[in-house]
Structure formats: C-alpha cells, structure tokens
Amino acid sequence: MSLKGSDMRSFFAACFKWWWRSTLVVLCILGLWLFVFVSRTWPTAYPLKAERNSTLMYDRNGSLLREVHLEGGTSKRWIPLKDIPTWVQDAILTAEDRRFYYHFGADPLAIMRSAYYNCKVGRVLMGGSTISEQLIRLLMPDRPRTLKNKFIELLYSLRLSFNFSKAQILEAYLNRVYFGGQAYGLEAAAQLYFGCPARALSPAQGAFLSVLVRSPQELAPYKDINPALKLQRDLLLSMEKRGVLDKVDLKRALAEKITLAPLSERFAAPHFCDFIIAQNEQWPAQDAVRIDTTLDLKMQNYAENVLNYHLERLASHNVKNGSLVVLDIKSGDILAMVGSKNYFSLPDGQNNGCLTLRQPGSTLKPFTYALALQHGFTAASILPDLSYLDSMLKDAFVPENYDRRFHGPVRLRQALACSYNVPAVYALQKVGINSLLELLHNLGFTELNKSAQHYGLGLTLGSGEVNLLHLVNAYRALAREGNCQVVRFCQSYTDSRGEKHFWSAEEDTEQKVIPPEICTLIGDILADSIARSEAFGYHSALNLPFHCSVKTGTSKDYRDNWCIGYDDNYVVGVWTGNFDASAMRNVSGITGAAPIFRDVMKYVHQYRSRPSKISNTGKLNEAEPGLEKRWICAESGAAPGPYCYNKIQEYFLPNTFSYEVCQVHKLYCFSKTNRQPINPLSCSPSEYFTKVVPVYPPLYRAWMREHKMLIPPQWAIYRKVSSEERTKYAQSSDLNMKNGSELPKDKIIFPENGAVFRIDPFLKRQHQSVNLRATASAPNKKLTWKVDGQVFQVSSEPHVVSWPLREGVHRITLQTEDSKFPVDSITITVYP
Ligand SMILES: [Zn+2]
C-alpha cells in the first residue's frame, strides 16, 4: 500500500514537474513575445502629437472665426501639459482612469470589474478602459468594439506605456479626446463651452468638461445642461474623496454657476465659413492649417445685428428671413456675409440665402438700360410707360409699378430711377433678350443657363433666378467702370509646412463687360434721389446723406425683396423673404430690404470714406470724363425749344445728343370767345390768345385722353399770318379739306391687328383680361365693340373696354351708331 502510495506520489510529482516545466516554458515564450512586442518602438503611423492641427479661419484682423476639424478627428489645437491646470488633469483622471499613474497601460482592477459587470449583463457594455487604451482608440479610430480588438488595444496600450512617459500620454489624450460640439481636444472644448483658454479653466469648469468625455453626444449641454451638471457635482465630490480637491475648493466649485458661452461667439460668420469650406475642393488650400479670410468680423457683427433688428420689425409682415453681402469694390473681398436670420435656428437657419436662387425683381434693370445706352438710347430718351403695351410680353407677367400708375412718356433716367416696368420691357425688346442674357453671363450669372426664349422679355423684370452674391458682384462691376472680376474670400493661407500663400484677385482674369462712361451714367441715375422721388418720395430709405447708387426689387407676389447699392468703396446687397418661398405681406424692396441696406451702408461708409466725387442729388461734377452735359426739355428729353418751360441738364455719351428741338411743347391758338382751339388763319390776332400745350407723339394719345389732357389740332398751332394768307384762307370753302388730315377717326388703337396673347396658368382667369382701346372721331360719340360677331360692349370716351382673354382666334370689330358696317376690325390670337 505504502509502495503503491509512494509510486502514486512519484507519478504525480513527475506529472506536476512536467506540467510545471512546460507551463514555465510556455510562459517564458509568451513573456518573451509580449516583451518583444510591447517594447518594440511605437509605430510612427500613429504619432502621439499630430503633424497637422485643424484648420483655423481668421477674419482679416486676426479674430478667430472657426476651427475646422479634419476628417477622422485627429489633433486640434495642441497645448502642452504644463498649460493644463492640475485640477483639470485631476478631474479627467478621476472621471476616466483613477490609477493612471500606478498601472502599466492596463488596469487589472478595472478589467476585473468590467469583466464581472459584462458577464452579469451578458454583453460588452462597460469598457474599463484606461486613458492609454482610450488614446489607442483615438489614434486608431473606426475599429469595431469586439473582444479581439479590446485585446489588441490592451497590447498596444502596454506598448504605449513602455515607449512614452505618463505625461506624454496624458498630454496626447487631452489634446485629442472629443468633448462634443465638434470640439476635439481640451483647448477647443474650453474655447467652445466657456470662451476661454484651457489654462484659465476653474475646477468646476474642468470637472464639467471631464464628464462630457464619456458620452458627448448624449449629454449635449447646449440642448440641456442639467444631466451634465449632475455628473459634474458627483465628480467634484469624488475628487474631494480622492483628496485631489480640498474642502474649501469643493465648496467653491459646487457654488460656481456654470454658464455656457453663446454658440454664435465660437462660431462667428457661420455661413461665410461654410461657404469657404464648400469652396475647399476647388482651390489649392486643402492643405491649409490657417486661412486668413477677407471677412471683417466687426462689420459682420454689425450687419447681423442690423438684419436681426429689422427682421423683428418686419415679422408681422410674414418676413422670416434675410441675407446680406458686403463687398469691397476694389479688391472684391467679401467683408460680410449673413446667410440667414439665425444660423442655429432649425430647420432652415443653415441655409445660406446669399447663395440660393431667387427671382431678382427689378434689380437687373440697370443692366438692361446699360445695354440700351450702348444701342443708341440716351438717358433723355423717351420710353413709353403705357398700360396697353404690357401685351408685348405676351407670355410673361408685368407687375404694377410701385405707385400703381402708368406715366405715359418717361425719360430713360426716370424709368430706371423710378423702376417703371413697361419701359424696361420696351427697352429690352429694342436691344434683344439674347444681348441681355449674354451680358448677364459675362457678369457671372452662370445660373441663368436657359435659353432667351425661356426667359422672354420678363428677364428684365426678374423672371430668371439668380443668387445674391452674383447680384452684388454684378453691381460691383458697375461700380468699377464695367470691369467684372470674381469675388475674393481668402487673403492668404498657411500650409502644414508653415509656408504662407497669398491669394490675389489680380491673378484672376478681369473682364471689361460694360463701357466705363455707361457705368458712370447708370451709377449717376441710380444715385439720383430727385429722379426717383416721383415713385419713392424724396425722403425714402434710399436717400442717403452721401453719394450712393442703389436699386430695389420685389419679385412676383412679394416673395422676395431686394436692395443693392454702392458708394465709392463698398457694395451692399440685401435680400429679405422666406426660405419656404411663402409670400410677404405689404412689404416692398423700399420698405423691406432698403432700411436694412441703409443702416449697413451708412455704417460701412464711415469705415473708409473718401470725399465723394458725386453729390447726393446724383449730379456728376462738370468734368466727368467721357460724358457731355447738355440742357434738355424735361418732358420730351429733346433740346429745349422756345416754349419748353421745364429745362434740366442731362449727361450724354459723346456724340449722342441730338440737337433736334422739342416737338412736344408748342404754342396753340384759342378763341377768346369760346376758348376752343382756333386756326390763326381764320381770324385776326386780336380774336385769339395763345397757350403752350404739350402734345406727345401718336403712341401716347390714348394715354393723354385717359388723363383728360387737351389735344388741340395741329392747325391751331400759333404762327405769324399775313393778311394776304388770311384772305386766301377765307376764300377757300372746303374747311374739312384743309383740316381733314387732323380729324380723328373711329379706330381701334389697341391691340394691333395680328397681336398674340397667352393665358398665364398661375394667375386667376378673372384677372386676365385685355383692355381694348379705340379713338372716336367726335367727343361724345358711342362705339359698339363686337367680338366674333357678337356685341360685347358699347363704349364712350375714353373708349377702353376690358375683354377677358379666351383661347382661340378672335375677330374684334368696331361699329358706330350711324354705320351699318364695321369702321375698323382686327384679328387676335389667344394661346392657352
Ligand atoms: Zn419741351
């Protein structure tokens, strides 16, 4: 038994010896492998300190606008550990890794605790990761959280601890860890949440940031600060228990009120920065660590405040949003760009209204007139503002003038300054839609990519959609003598090697698109507060105390308000409206966008004002190169005749002034007995008196009648008559033969025979009618209108009848009471 027993013992002893030996060998091999693995140099693919920081965007005066984070969340603004207060280090260690200074990269106690916890719940929930392990994850992101990866992380963190000091590891961790709100690293987090550098953080603030690390997305303190505050208090208490905070400091820290810095402060000029980031793929600054932009933060802040102030004022008119751009005329620098009322408001605050396409209303009219001036028109040319010309548009919609009236004959200067619609359409018809489209393309409106037929004559009234930035830059071309050049948003950038690259607009090709004299003239008209006073009043928001060329616009159904203008140094453009394209109520360019424009323009004007070369009445100085100053008749635009009572001065391009005298103002003879026009041939000078009467060309006769203006016959024009002439006249019997050519006829004057109309599918049918017009041979005559043989209406002076548009080809005839047959007829076509 004993032998047996000793045999068994020796057998077990041999087994144990063998087992022990083989285990030792395995452990030795494993240990050797672990030692070799762990002690090997840290792979350079994962440098602790990032080679490149995030991209910082500054305004033109060195104020930080935004820190742009790189893909993959690597290092941001790197600060050395000595600049991080010890209480912040203690707070993060208390929260994340209490035995950081005592373990070798892995914390067996924490591993056992988390293993126990994970077994209990049956899933891998609790990490128990040390700071070294977390750093490994930050260095090698995008790895799934599996047990295998966890083991690899463990090995790597051992290797990390073998190769680097605790201070180096903690520094790398604090500079890389994510605190939410796009803040990677402690410095970025301190700047984001408290608007201060990390070295200025208090223990309470340090503890607050430390608790965010665990779950930055869920805590999101800008949404609700309370969950994070609760964790911060718990952490402060733990810190006191660990002895890293004494009782006095704890009391102070608990009493400290945590106030988050407003998001907007750490996210200045947000739309502008987004705009630059969006450009990033198209320009060579992808490698930039610092971008010195063109923005002027002071100007930007002022513009934001002004816009917000006025949008509050306009809220009752259903105006919810607005955008604004300020450009430097010379350099093209974007000095301010406000994309919406509030970038942080949901759902559409991040829309950049400076870049969205919208109907520009009347703001393209200056370019139509710039073309007209190149095509032989002058600022004194008379253009028709007549209601019955709006059918020229055929398939477009002519909005009402601002004052809801038609003004008959108007000078080009008035037409542009007062923004009358029909004259602009008339001018565009004369110069051609293709010419305007080509000019707009040259001015940078790449968005107008449809055919001329698509836009039609409505192009000058804003039927094409453009963006505010392009619009403002097109006005900048007017301000710089017709030279168009792209805008600039970056002054210079510094690449990761520390090299600075300057971004110069001169490199970009500059294109001369409008002759300089024409730009001067258009600019003068847009600054003419007297010329625009007829429509907008002299004391409108457009009348600034210095020279400023400005134009407003309102799109169809009051969806968009615009106001764009320039002084000697800056172009300012303002849009107001709604991102959902809902209509505003009772608000036009002059009441909506113009007051915003005015406030911003007055502010920027003080920035760098030179003595103005043009006074605020819009009149150029005598010696304006390329233009001639001439006296004209204010009503006919022609050289003044002896009877023109309203004479003004106008500017003309060289050799465009016609010396032909005014044909509108003539002296007529009226009988002293019945005050009716009288032929000076038929009576002695003692029987009549003379009076100046303006009589406009035939195109305007219907308008004159509508306005009850006197139209004396041509034979009543005053002239010196000898007694022989008078005798000869008296001997002639056929008065009608002499005066016949002047006799008015019964005639349809609108529409013309063969005119074509189109029904607007968006307008209500009852609002779509055409005003038929006729002249009658005698003042009290009644005229019968027939459409397709059916009597439609009987009219009396001024013979205007409204006929609702109906699809098809229609014959319209006119009949008098004493005639059996039509005296006049036309055929028109109406397309659906
Ligand atoms: Zn005249």
Side-chain angles (χ1 to χ4, degrees):
M1 284 292 285
S2 64
L3 219 160
K4 242 183 174 177
S6 77
D7 278 356
M8 285 286 278
R9 264 202 306 276
S10 64
F11 174 76
F12 279 119
C15 281
F16 181 74
K17 216 171 172 180
W18 179 84
W19 181 85
W20 187 85
R21 274 183 189 162
S22 50
T23 307
L24 197 71
V25 169
V26 168
L27 275 179
C28 276
I29 293 168
L30 203 70
L32 200 68
W33 175 77
L34 209 63
F35 176 79
V36 170
F37 176 83
V38 167
S39 62
R40 260 173 56 191
T41 322
W42 181 250
T44 47
Y46 307 108
L48 280 199
K49 183 162 180 179
E51 285 168 350
R52 187 185 154 194
N53 288 316
S54 51
T55 307
L56 298 173
M57 290 188 193
Y58 289 90
D59 92 327
R60 63 191 304 119
N61 302 312
S63 301
L64 180 66
L65 298 177
R66 191 191 290 185
E67 179 171 11
V68 184
H69 307 291
L70 307 173
E71 296 267 331
T74 56
S75 173
K76 307 306 155 195
R77 266 173 286 179
W78 200 276
I79 44 167
L81 195 65
K82 66 177 171 52
D83 282 358
I84 299 173
T86 50
W87 50 80
V88 180
Q89 299 179 31
D90 287 336
I92 205 95
L93 292 180
T94 307
E96 294 298 317
D97 190 357
R98 295 184 184 201
R99 287 173 291 278
F100 175 71
Y101 284 110
Y102 310 106
H103 60 62
F104 45 91
D107 184 359
L109 277 175
I111 292 171
M112 283 193 289
R113 207 182 56 205
S114 73
Y116 169 73
Y117 182 80
N118 289 336
C119 286
K120 210 171 140 190
V121 295
R123 274 184 299 159
V124 182
L125 278 179
M126 205 167 138
S129 302
T130 62
I131 279 187
S132 310
E133 285 168 293
Q134 289 188 48
L135 181 58
I136 293 294
R137 272 208 295 280
L138 292 170
L139 292 169
M140 293 179 273
D142 306 326
R143 287 155 59 92
R145 295 191 82 171
T146 60
L147 265 178
K148 182 185 157 209
N149 282 342
K150 176 95 180 132
F151 180 68
I152 292 170
E153 279 161 20
L154 187 83
L155 290 182
Y156 265 86
S157 66
L158 295 179
R159 186 192 273 194
L160 191 74
S161 301
F162 206 87
N163 282 290
F164 299 98
S165 72
K166 289 284 178 190
Q168 280 174 306
I169 293 170
L170 187 59
E171 179 181 297
Y173 176 77
L174 284 172
N175 276 297
R176 284 176 183 272
V177 70
Y178 182 53
F179 290 88
Q182 292 299 305
Y184 292 87
L186 186 70
E187 180 67 16
Q191 292 285 0
L192 172 74
Y193 291 109
F194 300 114
C196 68
R199 65 174 184 279
L201 288 170
S202 70
Q205 290 171 327
F208 184 85
L209 294 182
S210 300
V211 300
L212 296 181
V213 169
R214 190 63 62 84
S215 42
Q217 311 288 3
E218 289 77 41
L219 289 172
Y222 276 105
K223 280 190 192 137
D224 182 8
I225 194 170
N226 290 317
L229 274 183
K230 193 186 165 293
L231 291 174
Q232 179 236 18
R233 292 181 68 86
D234 294 346
L235 180 60
L236 284 170
L237 292 169
S238 307
M239 285 168 75
E240 195 264 339
K241 253 186 224 160
R242 281 188 70 212
V244 292
L245 208 63
D246 63 31
K247 283 215 151 43
V248 182
D249 285 340
L250 173 73
K251 210 175 157 192
R252 198 180 295 145
L254 288 174
E256 188 179 321
K257 190 172 168 5
I258 295 290
T259 317
L260 299 179
L263 258 186
S264 53
E265 267 178 33
R266 302 318 314 161
F267 221 60
H271 292 100
F272 175 72
C273 293
D274 283 358
F275 171 72
I276 292 194
I277 294 165
Q279 307 292 319
N280 204 23
E281 284 174 11
Q282 292 152 31
W283 62 306
Q286 279 167 328
D287 188 29
V289 292
R290 178 188 171 111
I291 300 175
D292 286 287
T293 72
T294 57
L295 195 101
D296 188 317
L297 191 57
K298 205 172 143 202
M299 208 183 264
Q300 171 81 14
N301 288 338
Y302 186 85
E304 283 177 8
N305 289 339
V306 166
L307 189 75
N308 275 299
Y309 167 79
H310 283 282
L311 288 175
E312 293 296 327
R313 177 179 67 81
L314 294 165
S316 59
H317 296 270
N318 192 37
V319 184
K320 296 196 207 89
N321 249 305
S323 305
L324 191 153
V325 172
V326 181
L327 294 183
D328 183 290
I329 290 176
K330 198 163 172 283
S331 62
D333 286 0
I334 299 178
L335 298 172
M337 178 188 258
V338 189
S340 72
K341 183 169 186 262
N342 179 5
Y343 182 86
F344 302 101
S345 80
L346 295 169
D348 50 12
Q350 295 192 15
N351 285 3
N352 189 345
C354 306
L355 306 175
T356 47
L357 295 182
R358 311 199 141 259
Q359 290 206 342
S362 303
T363 53
L364 296 180
K365 279 179 188 164
F367 306 108
T368 306
Y369 287 115
L371 272 181
L373 291 172
Q374 291 178 64
H375 282 71
F377 283 81
T378 70
S381 295
I382 295 293
L383 303 170
D385 184 25
L386 300 168
S387 60
Y388 44 93
L389 284 181
D390 63 11
S391 67
M392 287 189 309
L393 274 168
K394 294 191 179 81
D395 53 352
F397 159 82
V398 181
E400 280 182 324
N401 283 332
Y402 185 71
D403 56 7
R404 301 182 174 181
R405 290 195 297 129
F406 290 93
H407 307 81
V410 289
R411 276 177 288 119
L412 187 148
R413 175 179 287 268
Q414 292 169 296
L416 173 56
C418 297
S419 198
Y420 297 145
N421 291 322
V422 175
V425 172
Y426 179 85
L428 179 56
Q429 197 184 40
K430 296 292 171 195
V431 301
I433 306 164
N434 274 315
S435 311
L436 178 61
L437 202 54
E438 193 191 332
L439 173 63
L440 295 175
H441 287 160
N442 290 338
L443 284 164
F445 291 104
T446 45
E447 57 270 46
L448 293 172
N449 49 13
K450 306 240 168 51
S451 69
Q453 284 79 5
H454 173 87
Y455 298 115
L457 290 169
L459 184 58
T460 189
L461 303 177
S463 67
E465 294 190 322
V466 301
N467 80 33
L468 179 64
L469 187 62
H470 287 161
L471 204 51
V472 174
N473 198 40
Y475 273 70
R476 180 175 154 245
L478 280 180
R480 55 206 304 276
E481 305 195 318
N483 291 313
C484 190
Q485 184 197 49
V486 295
V487 296
R488 196 171 79 136
F489 47 84
C490 164
Q491 298 193 93
S492 65
Y493 66 89
T494 310
D495 67 20
S496 52
R497 292 176 304 280
E499 243 173 88
K500 198 167 181 177
H501 303 263
F502 287 92
W503 182 267
S504 145
E506 276 77 37
E507 286 169 14
D508 302 302
T509 48
E510 200 175 303
Q511 202 189 354
K512 206 168 202 58
V513 291
I514 307 170
E517 320 79 75
I518 288 179
C519 291
T520 312
L521 194 49
I522 293 283
D524 179 57
I525 294 172
L526 294 180
D528 191 342
S529 49
I530 295 169
R532 71 170 158 252
S533 63
E534 200 183 319
F536 303 114
Y538 190 77
H539 297 289
S540 77
L542 304 181
N543 196 8
L544 284 147
F546 48 86
H547 164 249
C548 177
S549 303
V550 55
K551 183 81 197 71
T552 57
T554 304
S555 74
K556 196 171 169 179
D557 302 335
Y558 297 98
R559 291 183 201 283
D560 311 276
N561 275 183
W562 307 84
C563 189
I564 297 148
Y566 52 90
D567 69 349
D568 291 341
N569 297 307
Y570 304 103
V571 202
V572 176
V574 178
W575 166 82
T576 61
N578 295 306
F579 284 138
D580 60 6
S582 64
M584 296 173 279
R585 284 190 299 270
N586 299 325
V587 64
S588 67
I590 203 105
T591 53
I596 303 169
F597 169 85
R598 181 188 170 83
D599 285 358
V600 174
M601 189 39 120
K602 273 172 90 173
Y603 178 79
V604 301
H605 183 75
Q606 290 164 358
Y607 246 65
R608 185 173 21 130
S609 55
R610 288 195 300 251
S612 185
K613 66 174 176 181
I614 305 171
S615 75
N616 70 329
T617 57
K619 290 297 165 200
L620 299 143
N621 286 340
E622 296 295 322
E624 190 58 45
L627 295 174
E628 296 168 354
K629 198 176 191 180
R630 295 275 184 268
W631 282 99
I632 56 161
C633 165
E635 287 168 33
S636 69
Y643 308 115
C644 298
Y645 38 76
N646 188 1
K647 281 175 268 187
I648 55 164
Q649 287 189 303
E650 183 54 275
Y651 294 87
F652 290 85
L653 302 176
N655 309 318
T656 59
F657 178 69
S658 157
Y659 288 89
E660 199 186 319
V661 169
C662 170
Q663 293 297 307
V664 167
H665 295 101
K666 287 178 181 165
L667 203 59
Y668 289 86
C669 303
F670 295 89
S671 159
K672 279 182 181 170
T673 50
N674 64 6
R675 307 187 81 79
Q676 289 300 309
I678 194 168
N679 192 330
L681 278 168
S682 66
C683 57
S684 74
S686 62
E687 288 174 74
Y688 63 81
F689 65 94
T690 57
K691 196 173 121 185
V692 177
V693 180
V695 178
Y696 293 97
L699 180 66
Y700 302 97
R701 297 290 160 81
W703 172 82
M704 288 181 74
R705 280 194 202 96
E706 228 171 85
H707 288 78
K708 310 243 174 328
M709 289 167 79
L710 180 66
I711 311 175
Q714 292 286 301
W715 43 255
I717 291 173
Y718 166 79
R719 57 201 181 278
K720 275 202 173 124
V721 177
S722 63
S723 52
E724 293 87 58
E725 278 178 288
R726 199 172 295 126
T727 321
K728 214 169 146 191
Y729 180 86
Q731 282 164 356
S732 137
S733 57
D734 191 355
L735 271 178
N736 270 353
M737 218 180 77
K738 278 178 244 163
N739 300 333
S741 59
E742 297 300 326
L743 274 182
K745 288 182 188 145
D746 302 308
K747 191 174 168 16
I748 299 173
I749 54 167
F750 185 83
E752 283 173 14
N753 191 27
V756 177
F757 295 88
R758 196 178 290 270
I759 293 171
D760 187 331
F762 300 108
L763 270 181
K764 285 186 179 160
R765 287 296 280 266
Q766 62 259 39
H767 297 316
Q768 301 194 61
S769 52
V770 59
N771 282 343
L772 311 173
R773 286 157 197 274
T775 52
S777 55
N780 294 322
K781 207 165 182 178
K782 290 229 172 351
L783 298 174
T784 307
W785 294 84
K786 284 185 178 176
V787 178
D788 302 328
Q790 301 287 311
V791 174
F792 172 63
Q793 210 169 318
V794 178
S795 69
S796 48
E797 222 27 72
H799 301 290
V800 181
V801 299
S802 177
W803 177 68
L805 286 175
R806 227 169 49 217
E807 285 172 41
V809 179
H810 305 286
R811 187 173 154 81
I812 298 172
T813 56
L814 198 64
Q815 223 164 312
T816 56
E817 289 160 314
D818 49 6
S819 70
K820 269 188 180 173
F821 301 102
V823 289
D824 198 7
S825 72
I826 55 164
T827 304
I828 62 166
T829 310
V830 181
Y831 288 119

